[in-house]
Amino acid sequence: MDWITTVDHKKIGILYLMSGFLFFLFGGIEAILIRVQLAVPENDFLSGEIYNQIVTMHGTTMIFLAVMPAIFGLMNAIVPLQIGARDVAFPFMNAVSFWMFFFGGVLLNCSWFLGGAPAAGWTAYAPLSDIYEGLGMDFYVLGLQIAGAGTLMGGINFLVTIVNMRAPGLTWMRLPMFTWSIFITSVLILFAFPALTIGLFLLFFDRLFGGNFFDPSAGGNPIIWEHIFWIFGHPEVYILILPAFGILSDVISQHSRKRIFGYTSMVLALVLIGFLAFMVWAHHMFTVGLGPVANSVFAIMTMAIAIPTGVKIFNWLFTLWGGQIRFTTANLFALGFIPTFVMGGTTGVMLAVVTADFQFHDSYFVVAHFHYVIVGGLVFGLFAGIYHWWPKIFGRFLNETIGKWNFWLFFIGFHLTFFPQHFLGLMGMPRRNFTYPAELGWGDMNFISSIGAAFMGVATILFTWNIVVTSIKGEKAKGDAWYGDGRTLEWSISSPAPEYNFAQTPLVKEFDAFWAEKRNGNDRVTPAEPLGEIHMPNNSIIPIIMSFGAFIAGFGFIFSAENKSSLFVAAFGLAIMFGSMLVHSLYDDHGHHLIPDELKQKESKRKGAEA
Amino acid sequence: MKLISRFGRFAPLVLAFLLILSGCNTNSSALNPVGKNAKMQADLMLLSLGIMLLVILAVMVIFFYVIIRFRKRKDDDSIPEQVEGNTKLEIIWTVIPIILIIIIAIPTVYQVFVLADDRPSASEIDKENAIRIKVTAHQYWWQFEYPDLGIQTATDLYVPTGKKVYVELTSKDVIHSFWVPTLFGKQDANPGLVNRMWFEVPKEGVYLGQCAELCGASHALMDFSVVALSPDKFEAWKKEMKKGADEPKTAEAKQGRKIFKQQCLRCHAIGKNGGNVGPNLAAYGERTMISGILEYNKKNLKNWILNAPKYKADILMPSFSDGSGAKLTEQQADALAEYLMQQKTGIELPQQ
Ligand code: HEM
Ligand SMILES: [Cu+2]
């Protein structure tokens, strides 16, 4: 019960991580099916129709339902701790965000059992997605609409949190890199997700109420969808990678016992990348026929992104330079990230060479590129972050031996899978093809690629095993879990953090506050206030009911194209949703206070346990 | 140990890389460019690849140096110096990438404009130095019209060598993308809009092309070929094509023509007469492949006629064996196949 009513950012973080991981397993199974089908030429394991559904769901699930929530999980679990806050700015809304995402994801996956999943690719290009595909597309539209609403709320929440709730003395230029990256990510979410919302609404009107926005046979223009989708979609890929940059900066710096090199330029690079992310969407559309002028401008903008990205890479290398690098699993993933991401970034520059991109585009070269940045970049980064912060979140370490197997299998499997795909692309293999002829010589490399996928599958099973074993008898973690090398505020409190996070709000005097205090001989960060009463929000069942209303409304709309009376179901769902909002607004909930005595007791008990 | 295996990992990759760059000469490879456009594109691909390999190399060298040299030693518990940064270094690794990017950007922009020269001048057409072609993509086949010649083909696109081919590209239904890796990079075929591009084939041959934008269940099967003929042969081919359907030569073929008129003509034309829901079947006797995917022989053609949706799911052509279209017997299908296979211009096809 506590889990479905919680408004505590740490628990919501865990919910995000767990459900993200669940969807990651779904997406992973879909990936394995894809690789089985493509392992040999002219395979008939899957039909074209089923294959398209699996490819579409793989992409959509991985991006929206697996890695996004994993990022949200880490940012929920860690950011308030890094800035010395007791919770996020809007704890209630935080719970709504999670449940909206969760029910959106469930809705999307219900399509498997109700007439087939969407099959127009995760990019859902019209008019294929608009008038040629079945019910599955309606699940795509409404599932993403609901999940996307949750994401947008989450972004706003973290913006406000980071702007308003930093501990005294934690100025902008003292923020930990991870928090900085989440701040920029939240800005990107704020500006990018509304584009998706609008695009999905237009598609929704086209499909369910006979609008003609994207239907050329009725005067609509399908290219508009591509623009809207990529105006959202390109920032989205930076929404994904920036948090990984942040994680990497923190992990590398802590596990090599060095301050991040070139902090100011790291922050500037983040800001610049975030800005440029909105200027390059048409590089996904070089072959659409936008004309030479547009293509040239977008090419140059795209290449420009490589400059701040390069700055980050070298700053990481020089953070390591002169340090004492420990090869913990977290750091292995972080180190594995660097060469891998550089390869993904350099192929990105090659893709920006417009006329060469006429050859690369929609071929396996692109598939290789974006997996190098999304898996080799983001997923490696997430693994690094998860191994790094696991003790802080759960109070126990993940097992390092299993962790190292996990890393090596995943790392080798990853390169086996995706490196050959560069060549497949150059040899002319288009992406999203469910089969290919034997004569073209694509068989061998596809086979290698499929073997690599199996490696990654095993690595994921090991990771799951690691979670299970260590949750039963994992090594307990101290507050400053990693060799006492913690640098930022989250390591200055117990693991896991108590429900109020900081008994006394810390006073930040320097960058890497906790590290600096330790160097000055203190074992904790100077508090900014005396021990006092702590105001805490109450749990609430409303977020889950509200999101469930949206879920029901989604079903109602999906089936309304076939049967108008299901609009009543939609109305019922909306009534639940707005009803719960009304209840929440009318009913005053002032939260509760943790009284100082109880608090002192807790604190001293905790101290006793740690000593 | 771990460090060594890290190094070792790259050796086979580099090897594979060189092998592939030199050795993979399949007919669908962008690394085996034949057409003028593909050659220019390959040049830029290699230029950017070269520069990017330098970048990768620089990063790798520093990376491996750092992780070997600065790994934590058991006995060393000193605190490393907490360096804040180094302005000089940071300027260096901002400026060098800027220079590299400029080196790549200039030829890129230049080539974008060269390849975008997409409308023939009147004199080019008059002097017959160029040819215009209208390409229309359909789920899941390609239609080719020659507006200045008044002829049509499908699935096999015939072009003269050494002349500029100007393409007007559109789609009948969803978005497709027109791509022959050895001749030119892709251009999208958008419904309701026209895209223009050009290409040029220097030597005779049959070049494989394919749809490169997900367009539905049989997207992967939307293949086609470009057949390049010498200008003389192309002239002869053009004349033959203008003549329209060939008379059947045998009794079986005559029977085939009769069935064709009853069952097929509403969707397929041969030459000028007939529907255009499906591909024009003029000179079908010289097709390189059946529907772009099956080896060209009578047995395959018969099976295709009886059961097209089995080979390409979700196509408009009905099955003529299960009752969704009219029911044809095996013998009738044979007759149809015979009739179609007798449609020939008599031009010798270049080797694949
Ligand atoms: C140096 C930085 C990068 C550059 C220059 C770059 C450039 C490009 C270009 C030009 C394309 C279009 C390829 C095509 O379809 O023709 C592309 C595709 C893509 N990129 Fe990047 N990219 C970079 C980094 C990233 C990052 C950091 C991510 C995500 C974490 C990412 C994710 C993607 C994805 C998902 C696609 C494919 C989208 C699709 O067509 O489905 N890229 N990139
Ligand atoms: Cu197509």
Side-chain angles (χ1 to χ4, degrees), chain B residues 176 211 213 215 219 222:
Chain B
H176 304 266
C211 176
E213 180 65 61
C215 59
H219 158 61
M222 195 169 154

Side-chain angles (χ1 to χ4, degrees), chain B residues 137-142 173-177 211-216 218-219 222:
Chain B
H138 300 250
Q139 277 179 327
Y140 303 95
W141 61 281
W142 298 89
D173 35 56
V174 303
I175 298 175
H176 304 266
S177 196
C211 176
E213 180 65 61
L214 179 66
C215 59
S218 291
H219 158 61
M222 195 169 154

Side-chain angles (χ1 to χ4, degrees), chain A residues 15-74:
Chain A
L15 286 173
Y16 264 120
L17 284 174
M18 291 302 163
S19 38
F21 187 63
L22 188 74
F23 284 119
F24 182 73
L25 294 180
F26 285 0
I29 291 169
E30 282 148 9
I32 298 284
L33 291 175
I34 292 172
R35 286 316 321 169
V36 171
Q37 166 68 14
L38 294 181
V40 291
E42 289 160 39
N43 197 356
D44 57 4
F45 171 65
L46 300 171
S47 72
E49 174 57 27
I50 299 291
Y51 182 88
N52 289 351
Q53 294 181 13
I54 292 177
V55 162
T56 303
M57 285 299 281
H58 165 70
T60 314
T61 303
M62 283 302 193
I63 298 231
F64 292 98
L65 308 179
V67 293
M68 282 293 280
I71 291 168
F72 269 75
L74 281 181

Side-chain angles (χ1 to χ4, degrees), chain A residues 122-123 230 234 237-238 240-241 283-284 286 302 305-306 309 341 345 348-349 351-352 357 361-362 366 369-370 373-374 431-432:
Chain A
W122 82 280
T123 49
W230 287 116
H234 194 82
V237 301
Y238 286 87
L240 298 179
I241 198 66
H283 73 213
H284 299 270
F286 282 150
T302 303
I305 292 194
T309 313
F341 184 79
V349 175
L351 288 169
D357 181 71
H361 178 68
D362 267 349
V366 168
H369 158 71
F370 68 75
V373 283
I374 293 188
R431 74 194 272 211
R432 293 171 172 169

Side-chain angles (χ1 to χ4, degrees), chain A residues 84 103 289 540 553 590:
Chain A
F103 281 115
S540 166
H590 294 295

Side-chain angles (χ1 to χ4, degrees), chain A residues 48-49 52 56 119-121 123 125-128 132-133 216 221-223 226 256-263 265 286-293 295-296 299-300 303-304 306-307 310-311 313-315 317-318 320-327 332 335-336 338-340 342-343 345-347 349-350 352-363 404 407-408 411-412 415 419 423 425-435 437 439-442 445 487 512 515 519, chain B residues 2-3 5-6 9-10 13-14 16-17 20-21 24 26-31 37-38 40-42 44-45 48-49 52-53 55-56 58-60 62-73 76-86 89-90 93-94 97-98 101 104-105 107-109 111-113 115-116 139 172-175 177 179-193 195 208 210-221 223 289 313:
Chain A
E49 174 57 27
N52 289 351
T56 303
T123 49
Y125 277 12
L128 181 64
Y132 289 83
E133 288 290 336
N221 185 339
I223 307 304
E226 291 187 34
S256 62
R257 310 181 86 194
K258 274 208 45 207
R259 179 193 163 102
I260 190 81
F261 189 93
Y263 176 81
S265 63
F286 282 150
T287 64
V288 166
L290 302 179
V293 177
N295 279 355
S296 302
I300 291 169
M303 291 177 191
I307 296 159
V311 168
I313 302 275
F314 285 106
N315 278 336
L317 290 175
F318 278 77
L320 294 166
W321 191 289
Q324 293 170 352
I325 305 168
R326 280 185 216 267
F327 294 96
L332 279 177
L335 295 173
I338 294 177
T340 313
V342 168
M343 290 170 71
T346 47
T347 52
V349 175
M350 292 173 67
V353 178
V354 182
T355 50
D357 181 71
F358 292 168
Q359 293 281 11
F360 300 138
H361 178 68
D362 267 349
S363 78
K404 283 179 186 151
F407 167 75
W408 284 106
F411 185 79
I412 294 170
H415 285 279
F419 192 71
F423 300 109
L426 295 175
M427 290 165 72
M429 181 164 170
R431 74 194 272 211
R432 293 171 172 169
N433 273 20
F434 76 99
T435 185
E439 307 86 75
L440 296 179
W442 302 339
M445 277 192 246
R487 308 180 75 87
D512 276 347
W515 174 269
R519 292 285 82 70
Chain B
K2 259 173 210 143
L3 296 173
S5 70
R6 263 186 190 221
R9 192 173 54 77
F10 285 97
L13 294 190
V14 172
F17 186 75
I20 287 157
L21 279 187
C24 75
T26 60
N27 192 355
S28 68
S29 174
L31 296 177
N37 315 47
M40 291 170 68
Q41 289 160 347
L44 273 197
M45 279 158 69
S48 56
L49 177 67
M52 288 303 129
L53 282 178
V55 173
I56 293 177
V59 173
M60 293 292 176
I62 303 178
F63 177 75
F64 283 109
Y65 175 76
V66 163
I67 61 173
I68 292 167
R69 170 80 176 69
F70 298 110
R71 61 188 195 279
K72 169 119 179 58
R73 300 177 208 245
D76 183 5
D77 257 331
S78 63
I79 301 283
E81 193 195 341
Q82 304 292 305
V83 190
E84 286 191 20
N86 180 327
L89 278 177
E90 288 171 50
W93 62 60
T94 314
I98 293 181
I101 296 272
I104 300 178
T108 300
V109 173
Q111 205 178 85
V112 168
F113 282 88
L115 289 183
Q139 277 179 327
K172 186 84 183 168
D173 35 56
V174 303
I175 298 175
S177 196
W179 185 26
V180 184
T182 48
L183 298 183
F184 51 83
K186 52 194 84 56
Q187 264 303 301
D188 291 357
N190 302 310
L193 300 162
N195 264 340
L208 300 183
Q210 53 198 335
C211 176
E213 180 65 61
L214 179 66
C215 59
S218 291
H219 158 61
L221 305 175
D223 295 352
M289 286 212 195

